[in-house]
Structure formats: structure tokens, C-alpha cells
Amino acid sequence: MEKFNLDFIKSRRQQLGLSIADVSEFMGFKNSSVYWKHENGVHKFKAEMLPLLAKILQCEPQNFFTD
């Protein structure tokens, strides 16, 4: 069964030199703590968020999942 890979999301963001505030702004969150909570598993990413997140992180949505 595939598992959502938060480590990939964090490391990809860092590889691209994007801050939590950058991604938060691009995704339209009110503040960066909301995105931080998603990236750290406090809140789950909704399926409709994944295409935008993939665009920001320059990857495919399937990259967010691992076996």
C-alpha cells in the first residue's frame, strides 16, 4: 500500500531553495504556520491541493507517494 511521503515534500522544497513562507504564499494559505502543519503531518494535505503543490515543487503528484 502506498504511503504519503512528507519527507519527499520537505526535501524537494529545500532542494529548490523555497522557504515554508514561499510555498505557503503560492498555495494561498493565510500564514506559513498552516503550511508548516501540513508539511509536518499535523494536518493532512487534501487531494485537491496536490496538483498545485506538485507544480510548485516541480514534480508529479505521484512523487508524493511511496511504497
Side-chain angles (χ1 to χ4, degrees):
M1 175 153 192
E2 289 189 333
K3 181 179 163 188
F4 200 71
N5 189 350
L6 294 171
D7 291 333
F8 171 82
I9 292 171
K10 184 175 186 174
S11 65
R12 183 68 182 152
R13 175 183 59 76
Q14 291 171 336
Q15 285 175 352
L16 295 171
L18 297 170
S19 69
I20 288 175
D22 293 333
V23 178
S24 179
E25 183 179 334
F26 293 144
M27 292 194 70
F29 290 123
K30 291 183 180 184
N31 58 56
S32 57
S33 69
V34 176
Y35 175 77
W36 181 92
K37 289 177 182 179
H38 282 82
E39 188 179 273
N40 287 282
V42 176
H43 298 305
K44 292 183 179 183
F45 283 99
K46 295 180 182 177
E48 59 267 17
M49 295 175 171
L50 300 184
L52 177 57
L53 183 60
K55 184 176 180 179
I56 294 165
L57 297 180
Q58 301 172 20
C59 64
E60 297 296 325
Q62 57 264 33
N63 295 129
F64 301 143
F65 299 92
T66 186
D67 291 331

